[in-house]
Amino acid sequence: MTLLAGWAAVLGRLAGQDDVVIGTPTANRDRREVESLIGFFVNTLALRVDLSRAPTVAELLGRVKARAVEAQHHTDIPFEQVVELMRPVRSLAHSPLFQVMFAWQNTPSGRLELPGLTFGALGAPPHLSAKYDLTLNLQEAGGRIVGVVEYATALFERTTVERQVRYLRRALEAMVADDAQAVQRIALLTPAERQHLVEAHNDTTTEYPADTCVHELFEAQAARTPDAVALVHDADELTFAELNARANRLAHHLRELGVGPDARVAIGVDHGVEMVVGLLAVLKAGGAYLPLDPAYPEARLRFMLEDAAPVLLLTQSSLADRFAGMGTPLLALDGDADAWAEMAETNPPRAGLTRDHLAYVIFTSGSTGTPKGALVPHGGLTHYAWWARTRYAAGAPLSFALYSSFAFDLTVTSIFVPLITGGAIVVYGEGEGADLPILRVFAEDRVDAVKLTPAHLALLDGSTQAGGRIRTLVVGGEDLGTGLARSRQDGSAAELVIYNEYGPTETVVGCAIHRFDPRRDLAASVPIGRPIANTRVYVLDAHGEPVPPGVVGELFVGGAQVTRGYLNRPALTAERFVPNPFGEGRLYRTGDRVRRRADGVLEFIGRDDDQVKVRGFRIELGEVEAALASIPSVREVAVVARGEGSDRRLFAYVTPSGEAPAPGDLRNHLRARLPDYMIPA
């Protein structure tokens, strides 16, 4: 019972479960009448060990003893009948009810004596196939507890199982030392192992221009390559000098209108030159840009403007009616351009701007029913842009395609990497069907690199859309399948490098990176890799302790990429941005469940909440449910995501409060509150 309790405690920690079922064989000779009979009476018991409510060692031992004694009263019921009664979901991949076996071999060894003969034990050959995922066989011999672990080699490596045995030994040692301590607090890792996980995999310190803002990096690039093309949209082209001059004139005007550090300026425009000019001008003026997608429903745009309270909204004459009456002063970048046409073309001075002031605010889906604004400072944006410059461009000019909605931070890479490397931003407008921007990007021969989601990647036909001069794909936003990455490389006409970039909005676009290698990346999903420069990542359990290699835990991110929190959401900020127990600053709780391989590479497993990714869009199911629940005819609602890749969709289930509403009426109600990508299929 003591060994079973220790084994259950270790398994619960490794699996992240507080309910563990372990199988154990019983001799089933509980009557004197069958004690000496020849025959195989062995039965299997499934022992359910309760690790919930943070038991102490003594409490866990009491629970295991009670459960083991209770189970012994039911040994006459064949295990096969138990399975039939339970009707579990059957699978050829594993045994029903339990996948881990524990056997305590305590049958006394008898002696057989016959005249003229000597008998000895015949060692059984090792099994060629494991009956269970893990089987722990222990027995007492010569005053010691000895045994063997049998494991499925398709699931575990030998080094992993050896680590698990060490964890069991440490757990038993700790249980013996103090039976009043909480089982979940027992340290499975040695101090050296813990230190290695915390420090060795986070040795990422790298010099970068920490006191420089990203628009100043652009200004320096414009001074180096003034005549190089910086921005292309259809037939319009701007050189670095022209783009810098136009942004400077507008920036001086914004300064006169009161834009300064931490002042927010909304930008609601269609894809084009004005979008990039306006963005740069806001940063140069010292403010923070708030990107708005004009296609969003009016109610959502109004909420974002009321919540962010920008001092100004930059738009276009054709969109002025869209934003009129929302309480924010408008400035048309085309119709009002005469107001700053004569302003100075020189770079505006910093005027008190620091790395901690806001660079932009991007709204993401909110679990409480309303979107939330992530506050990204200049320091984090500069660090990401500088790191991306060195990683993707290696200091050389690199042109990116800008085709997706400006309201998502997917575009940050496509805008700032070209601006600080001397490459060009090639802007694509909106399109539908065969004219989708991403298809045009790959059909043309205009860019070196593309930032995209796996859903975008799945839209491409490798045989017909070779990608011209494209040499680099930066994939992010959701889980990247290995097969999808391999098919894209095989379908490319040129040598193509694919990076899997991981990072929530709260960690400035990307905080971990992995270069896809078809020869080594053989699992179903491409790993999310290792932390980028000056970034620290930790895989922690529910108590904030590092989990062993191979064990799933929640990913926490610290370092230069962590943002300031959420706009007007102090409670949510305190919940998601927590003190760093391993060093300075704060850690962002991603909510993503990952595991770290023995070589330090991180693998994405899934979420621990209701946040999902659908075609690269980050969606809180609670926000969709809240919108549906606000309809008087809906009594209850549940929203789920189904499918994979570009076929992943939202599905909503409702129970009516009276007469069932028509699906079309439900969709029309949602379209007034939610963007199209959040409307259930």
Side-chain angles (χ1 to χ4, degrees):
M1 295 172 187
T2 303
L3 295 168
L4 176 62
W7 186 226
V10 171
L11 292 175
R13 290 279 292 277
L14 297 181
Q17 297 176 199
D18 57 12
D19 186 18
V20 177
V21 182
I22 301 175
T24 188
T26 176
N28 211 14
R29 294 174 180 265
D30 53 356
R31 295 178 180 273
R32 287 187 179 275
E33 293 83 355
V34 299
E35 187 70 28
S36 60
L37 292 182
I38 297 175
F40 189 73
F41 296 168
V42 173
N43 192 21
T44 303
L45 300 176
L47 303 180
R48 193 165 194 167
V49 180
D50 181 11
L51 297 165
S52 64
R53 304 184 302 279
T56 64
V57 172
E59 290 170 343
L60 177 61
L61 289 171
R63 293 180 188 180
V64 171
K65 177 180 179 180
R67 180 52 54 90
V69 170
E70 179 186 16
Q72 291 297 325
H73 292 303
H74 303 287
T75 58
D76 290 339
I77 303 177
F79 179 71
E80 293 78 5
Q81 290 188 17
V82 176
V83 174
E84 291 176 2
L85 291 170
M86 294 298 297
R87 295 183 179 179
V89 177
R90 301 304 295 267
S91 170
L92 296 178
H94 56 75
S95 64
L97 301 188
F98 64 86
Q99 288 79 53
V100 179
M101 174 72 82
F102 170 67
W104 174 245
Q105 307 291 354
N106 61 354
T107 303
S109 57
R111 294 185 61 186
L112 179 62
E113 296 181 354
L114 293 175
L117 293 176
T118 302
F119 293 88
L122 178 65
H127 293 150
L128 296 179
S129 60
K131 295 182 175 63
Y132 303 95
D133 294 358
L134 281 172
T135 299
L136 175 64
N137 280 290
L138 295 178
Q139 65 184 50
E140 186 176 351
R144 301 172 64 225
I145 295 175
V146 299
V148 64
V149 178
E150 182 180 284
Y151 62 94
T153 55
L155 298 176
F156 300 100
E157 296 177 353
R158 180 184 180 93
T159 54
T160 301
V161 178
E162 289 174 345
R163 283 199 304 270
Q164 292 171 350
V165 173
R166 292 199 296 270
Y167 301 152
L168 174 60
R169 177 168 184 144
R170 290 183 196 124
L172 293 172
E173 290 172 343
M175 291 168 64
V176 171
D178 181 9
D179 68 349
Q181 66 178 315
V183 173
Q184 294 170 329
R185 295 290 186 179
I186 292 176
L188 301 183
L189 298 170
T190 65
E193 289 173 329
R194 186 179 187 277
Q195 182 73 6
H196 182 76
L197 289 173
V198 170
E199 297 296 338
H201 294 309
N202 285 315
D203 185 12
T204 61
T205 302
T206 306
E207 289 190 9
Y208 73 102
D211 296 325
T212 305
C213 293
V214 71
H215 60 273
E216 294 171 329
L217 296 177
F218 161 68
E219 291 167 355
Q221 184 63 47
R224 289 192 296 269
T225 58
D227 298 325
V229 175
L231 183 59
V232 179
H233 178 233
D234 294 335
D236 296 331
E237 285 190 0
L238 289 182
T239 65
F240 273 84
E242 291 169 339
L243 177 59
N244 193 42
R246 287 184 59 169
N248 283 340
R249 288 195 294 268
L250 178 57
H252 285 293
H253 183 63
L254 295 178
R255 282 270 180 92
E256 291 186 347
L257 296 178
V259 176
D262 272 358
R264 294 175 285 277
V265 178
I267 306 178
V269 297
D270 291 327
H271 276 204
V273 172
E274 285 86 1
M275 182 173 68
V276 180
V277 171
L279 178 154
L280 283 172
V282 172
L283 295 177
K284 285 170 171 283
Y289 68 90
L290 167 64
L292 301 177
D293 190 333
Y296 280 178
E298 179 181 343
R300 193 175 189 85
L301 292 172
R302 189 179 296 274
F303 172 84
M304 294 165 68
L305 289 170
E306 291 175 353
D307 193 43
V311 298
L312 198 63
L313 195 161
L314 305 182
T315 186
Q316 295 161 313
S317 300
S318 59
L319 295 171
D321 292 341
R322 180 81 173 126
F323 297 104
M326 293 190 180
T328 304
L330 303 182
L331 188 66
L333 293 175
D334 48 1
D336 298 329
D338 290 343
W340 59 88
E342 302 301 324
M343 288 289 180
E345 296 183 352
T346 56
N347 298 325
R350 264 210 186 188
L353 187 66
T354 70
R355 59 178 283 106
D356 296 322
H357 284 118
L358 283 182
Y360 63 84
V361 180
I362 281 191
F363 277 83
T364 66
S365 182
S367 59
T368 59
T370 55
K372 57 185 182 294
L375 305 172
V376 179
H378 275 276
L381 175 58
T382 299
H383 178 267
Y384 172 79
W386 183 263
W387 168 84
R389 166 188 179 273
T390 57
R391 180 69 183 222
Y392 300 137
L398 194 65
S399 296
F400 265 85
L402 178 59
Y403 62 93
S404 59
S405 174
F406 181 44
F408 297 97
D409 59 359
L410 184 79
T411 58
V412 170
T413 311
S414 305
I415 292 173
F416 291 106
V417 173
L419 291 181
I420 67 174
T421 63
I425 305 171
V426 181
V427 183
Y428 290 81
E430 301 295 326
E432 297 181 356
D435 197 39
L436 281 173
I438 188 63
L439 299 180
R440 291 166 52 202
V441 169
F442 276 79
E444 298 174 1
D445 189 23
R446 308 174 71 184
V447 296
D448 307 305
V450 182
K451 179 76 174 282
L452 72 173
T453 68
H456 287 134
L457 205 59
L459 291 173
L460 302 172
D461 183 347
S463 61
T464 60
Q465 304 290 349
R469 68 191 243 199
I470 296 173
R471 298 292 183 272
T472 302
L473 296 184
V474 182
V475 186
E478 56 186 326
D479 193 26
L480 173 60
T482 305
L484 183 60
R486 183 173 286 107
S487 66
R488 185 62 228 167
Q489 276 195 338
D490 293 342
S492 176
E495 184 177 349
L496 186 68
V497 177
I498 298 178
Y499 291 99
N500 190 25
E501 184 185 275
Y502 164 86
T505 299
E506 293 83 352
T507 61
V508 195
V509 187
C511 59
I513 190 73
H514 180 81
R515 178 173 174 173
F516 173 65
D517 185 345
R519 296 167 300 176
R520 307 179 72 176
D521 295 328
L522 303 177
S525 297
V526 178
I528 60 176
R530 305 176 189 273
I532 71 170
N534 302 302
T535 301
R536 302 172 71 85
V537 296
Y538 307 93
V539 186
L540 308 180
D541 62 16
H543 304 285
E545 283 297 311
V547 299
V551 176
V552 176
E554 183 178 358
L555 182 63
F556 288 67
V557 181
Q561 297 292 107
V562 177
T563 58
R564 282 173 38 174
Y566 299 112
L567 180 67
N568 302 326
R569 305 288 193 279
L572 183 60
T573 298
E575 175 187 335
R576 306 306 298 183
F577 294 81
V578 298
N580 183 1
F582 310 107
E584 300 178 351
R586 299 181 300 170
L587 298 180
Y588 171 64
R589 297 189 61 172
T590 66
D592 287 327
R593 301 195 63 75
V594 303
R595 63 169 161 242
R596 194 193 299 271
R597 299 189 323 209
D599 60 2
V601 171
L602 298 172
E603 296 177 335
F604 177 79
I605 304 301
R607 293 286 301 177
D608 65 357
D609 58 15
D610 289 333
Q611 184 188 117
V612 299
K613 291 292 186 72
V614 178
R615 301 187 305 281
F617 296 110
R618 171 174 162 177
I619 301 172
E620 296 280 0
L621 298 180
E623 184 174 359
V624 186
E625 291 176 344
L628 278 169
S630 67
I631 303 175
S633 59
V634 172
R635 179 165 60 90
E636 292 176 307
V637 59
V639 179
V640 296
R642 292 283 184 265
E644 299 294 336
S646 59
D647 293 327
R648 191 165 174 80
R649 296 288 187 274
L650 291 183
F651 292 88
Y653 300 83
V654 300
T655 55
S657 56
E659 184 179 352
D665 294 338
L666 297 179
R667 287 196 181 91
N668 290 335
H669 176 88
L670 292 181
R671 287 194 178 97
R673 300 185 57 178
L674 302 175
D676 286 344
Y677 67 86
M678 296 181 70
I679 307 296

